[in-house]
Amino acid sequence: MSWVVSLPCTRDEAEALSGEIPALDALSEAPVVVTREIDEDAGLWQLDAYVDDRPSAALLKLLPALVPSAAGKTPAVEKLPEEDWVTLSQQGLEPVHAGRFFVHTSSYADRVPQGSTSFLVDASQAFGTGGHDTTAGCLAMLDRLARAGAAPRNIADIGTGTGLLAFAAMALWPRARTIASDIDPASIAVTRNNAAVNDIALGRGGGRLTLAVAPGTDHPAIRHRAPYDLVIANILAGPLITLSPDIAAATAPGGHAILAGLITRQMDDVLAAYRAHGFRLAARGGSGEWPCLLLVKRRRFGYRRKERALHRANPADASFGSW
């Protein structure tokens, strides 16, 4: 028998819960947490925590602390019928349709639009639903970049989450060398499983995806393969700013960076950090509240000293991954 514990929350709280939650992971039975928007017009969101057994007192005490807006509210506890709790948790996960891409869970496997490039990504502990708008923005930006004639040969997806954006890039540029990294080993395990489900070849060389557990760009394989024609980072504003010198060092002059995970009021700070390291804004996409930024690293002419990645990322900052 499975159980679900529910609490109302805000969108900002849902965003914060999309990453790794050490306090929940420390529980004897870590729940699978899904956040979803239940009323778009009213801006109402909800946290659902799924567990196999009756929720512990520790879980019931911890969850309200994660959503301060629900202070004073008692969590709703419901015993679920004998059904697959993963399927239940996916019912709130609508497909993402952006550009040529259609990303769906098993619940929508029979509704894939004809002619689309589709990926099956089921619910897992590596992500929450708070990143859907940012995911759609990144997919649309990748599609836009390809339609504009870009042809990157060396691609890095930093903070890959479930591997989706790396998969999309490989579908667009199948001969490119692609590496996907995440600070969370569980995310890389999920990416490996998703690669098998979606017939993505793993390994080294063109047309294969290399995986790495790493905080930001701090990994020998990432450093060895730099510089990159395209860097994708769908994380959060804080880690994006912290990683700006490293992403700049890893990006080839004239190369592109796709940044997402930030909200509108954070955009100026993120842009300022990247402009300071030689990038310019080429395009803005995404939704009104969740922008997706396409940056180009300016070319430098004449003598300049070799750039090296600084790897200033705080491992605690870089845990957010894409859907």
Side-chain angles (χ1 to χ4, degrees):
M1 190 68 68
S2 298
W3 297 73
V4 60
V5 183
S6 302
L7 274 172
C9 66
T10 66
R11 177 162 53 185
D12 286 346
E13 290 167 342
E15 175 192 352
L17 291 169
S18 295
E20 186 179 6
I21 310 171
L24 288 178
D25 292 339
L27 296 175
S28 57
E29 182 187 1
V32 171
V33 173
V34 175
T35 56
R36 55 194 174 98
E37 190 172 26
I38 59 176
D39 189 330
E40 183 176 358
D41 293 334
L44 299 178
W45 287 66
Q46 181 170 299
L47 176 156
D48 295 318
Y50 293 86
V51 290
D52 289 331
D53 299 315
R54 181 183 292 274
S56 65
L59 176 62
L60 295 177
K61 180 179 180 180
L62 177 57
L63 286 177
L66 299 176
V67 284
S69 65
K73 293 187 170 77
T74 302
V77 179
E78 180 183 0
K79 181 189 291 187
L80 300 175
E82 291 289 351
E83 297 183 60
D84 182 358
W85 61 265
V86 172
T87 300
L88 290 170
S89 71
Q90 290 174 13
Q91 290 177 354
L93 297 178
E94 296 293 326
V96 173
H97 199 175
R100 72 192 73 189
F101 299 109
F102 185 78
V103 187
H104 62 94
T105 63
S106 298
S107 302
Y108 292 85
D110 59 347
R111 299 180 232 180
V112 176
Q114 187 174 4
S116 65
T117 299
S118 66
F119 296 105
L120 170 61
V121 179
D122 275 329
S124 73
Q125 291 181 328
F127 68 98
T129 61
H132 281 194
D133 282 348
T134 64
T135 300
C138 289
L139 291 171
M141 192 62 78
L142 285 167
D143 185 70
R144 177 176 176 175
L145 195 59
R147 293 183 190 280
R153 294 178 296 178
N154 198 16
I155 301 169
D157 179 15
I158 306 300
T160 193
T162 59
L164 172 61
L165 297 180
F167 300 167
M170 293 177 71
L172 293 172
W173 301 288
R175 295 184 180 180
R177 299 177 66 198
T178 306
I179 188 168
S181 69
D182 201 288
I183 192 174
D184 185 1
S187 291
I188 296 301
V190 168
T191 297
R192 189 180 300 277
N193 291 336
N194 287 336
V197 169
N198 290 282
D199 296 323
I200 304 295
L202 299 180
R204 300 180 180 180
R208 295 180 176 272
L209 179 62
T210 301
L211 301 178
V213 177
T217 63
D218 190 9
H219 191 281
I222 299 174
R223 291 195 295 269
H224 176 73
R225 295 170 68 153
Y228 297 92
D229 307 308
L230 174 61
V231 176
I232 308 162
N234 179 18
I235 44 180
L236 291 174
L240 284 174
I241 292 171
T242 300
L243 289 170
S244 58
D246 291 346
I247 289 178
T251 306
H256 293 88
I258 294 176
L259 308 180
L262 63 152
I263 57 179
T264 301
R265 67 174 181 265
Q266 299 166 332
M267 187 172 67
D268 288 344
D269 290 339
V270 172
L271 281 174
Y274 282 80
R275 282 173 174 146
H277 293 286
F279 286 93
R280 64 175 177 84
L281 178 65
R284 174 185 168 175
S287 65
E289 185 66 18
W290 299 90
C292 177
L293 308 179
L294 176 66
L295 307 183
V296 177
K297 187 176 179 183
R298 298 181 186 276
R299 297 182 184 274
R300 296 183 180 182
F301 299 95
Y303 173 80
R304 67 180 176 87
R305 63 187 177 89
K306 185 177 180 180
E307 294 177 300
R308 294 184 181 275
L310 301 177
H311 309 302
R312 297 176 180 172
N314 181 341
D317 288 340
S319 60
F320 186 78
S322 61
W323 191 74

